Amino acid sequence: MEDHRYPIGEFSPPSSHTPADVRGAIETIAACPRELRAAVAGLDDARLETPYRDGGWTVRQLVHHIADSHMNAYIRCKLAVAENQPRIKTYEQDDWAKFDDASHAPITVSLDLIEALHERWVRFLRSLPDSAFDRKLDHPEIGVITLAYVVFLYAWHGRHHTTQISSLRKRKGWK
C-alpha cells in the first residue's frame, strides 16, 4: 500500500554530492512553480478542500504551505551566505496551515507568490560559486547543516507536496 504522506519517499540527503548535483537540485527548485500549477490546474473549490490523505491538509493548505515553507527557505539560504553559521528560527507549520490565509485564501495568491519567490531564489542560488554551498547554518531541530543540504531538502520538498496533490488527483480520477 502506498504511503500517501510520502509518495516520493521521505527526504534523505545525499551522503556526498558534486557541484553538478547541487545545480540539478536548483533546477528542480526552478521547476516547482510550473509543476505545482499543473498539479492544481482546473481544481474547483470543493476539490481544493479535499485532504490529500485522511487527517492530512487540504490541497489548498498544501499550496499555501509550500509558499510559507519556501519563503522561510529562501531567507535561510540568504542568511547562510551572508552570516557566519546563523541559527535559524523554525515555525509551527501545522499552526500556520490553520490560519485563514492558508485555509481559505484563493490558491492563486500563493501560486503567484511561489512563482515570484522562486524567480528570486533560483536567481540567487545560480549566482553563487560552488564553494558557497558549503556555508553552514544552525537548524534548532536538525543541527548544523550546509546550504547544499537546504537546496537538496527544498528540491525534495516541492516535489513531495506537488506529488501529494497529483497522487490525490490520480486516486480520485480527477481530470
Side-chain angles (χ1 to χ4, degrees), residues 33 36-37 60-68 71 101-102 105-118:
L36 180 59
R37 279 190 190 274
R60 181 184 313 277
Q61 287 172 307
L62 284 171
V63 171
H64 294 308
H65 164 73
I66 293 169
D68 289 342
M71 284 187 287
D101 65 320
I107 62 169
T108 54
V109 172
S110 282
L111 291 172
D112 292 345
L113 189 156
I114 291 164
E115 193 170 274
L117 172 66
H118 279 236

Side-chain angles (χ1 to χ4, degrees), residues 144-164:
V144 176
I145 56 176
T146 64
L147 178 56
Y149 180 100
V150 175
V151 170
F152 287 116
L153 175 62
Y154 283 91
W156 171 86
H157 186 264
R159 287 181 49 242
H160 164 66
H161 288 304
T162 299
T163 304
Q164 286 174 332

Side-chain angles (χ1 to χ4, degrees), residues 2 4 51-53 164 166-173:
E2 179 185 358
H4 300 306
Y52 77 95
R53 66 174 176 87
Q164 286 174 332
S166 58
S167 294
L168 172 66
R169 284 186 84 129
K170 186 176 180 181
R171 288 191 316 272
K172 295 284 190 179

Side-chain angles (χ1 to χ4, degrees), residues 37-140:
R37 279 190 190 274
V40 298
L43 295 181
D44 61 21
D45 279 336
R47 289 179 175 171
L48 292 173
E49 293 307 317
T50 304
Y52 77 95
R53 66 174 176 87
D54 289 340
W57 291 337
T58 66
V59 173
R60 181 184 313 277
Q61 287 172 307
L62 284 171
V63 171
H64 294 308
H65 164 73
I66 293 169
D68 289 342
S69 182
H70 290 202
M71 284 187 287
N72 276 282
Y74 171 60
I75 298 301
R76 291 169 180 175
C77 288
K78 290 193 113 173
L79 287 170
V81 174
E83 299 179 15
N84 186 26
Q85 196 171 305
R87 182 160 179 94
I88 61 160
K89 182 163 180 12
T90 62
Y91 70 101
E92 296 297 328
Q93 65 183 17
D94 287 328
D95 291 341
W96 284 35
K98 295 173 189 169
F99 293 144
D100 184 75
D101 65 320
S103 60
H104 295 96
I107 62 169
T108 54
V109 172
S110 282
L111 291 172
D112 292 345
L113 189 156
I114 291 164
E115 193 170 274
L117 172 66
H118 279 236
E119 187 171 326
R120 289 276 311 272
W121 189 13
V122 168
R123 182 182 198 90
F124 170 70
L125 293 172
R126 286 177 178 158
S127 76
L128 298 174
D130 293 339
S131 61
F133 295 95
D134 294 328
R135 301 277 305 170
K136 293 180 173 52
L137 51 87
D138 184 4
H139 190 293

Side-chain angles (χ1 to χ4, degrees), residues 1-16:
M1 187 169 110
E2 179 185 358
D3 183 349
H4 300 306
R5 291 176 306 154
Y6 298 103
I8 63 168
E10 293 187 56
F11 175 66
S12 178
S15 56
S16 66

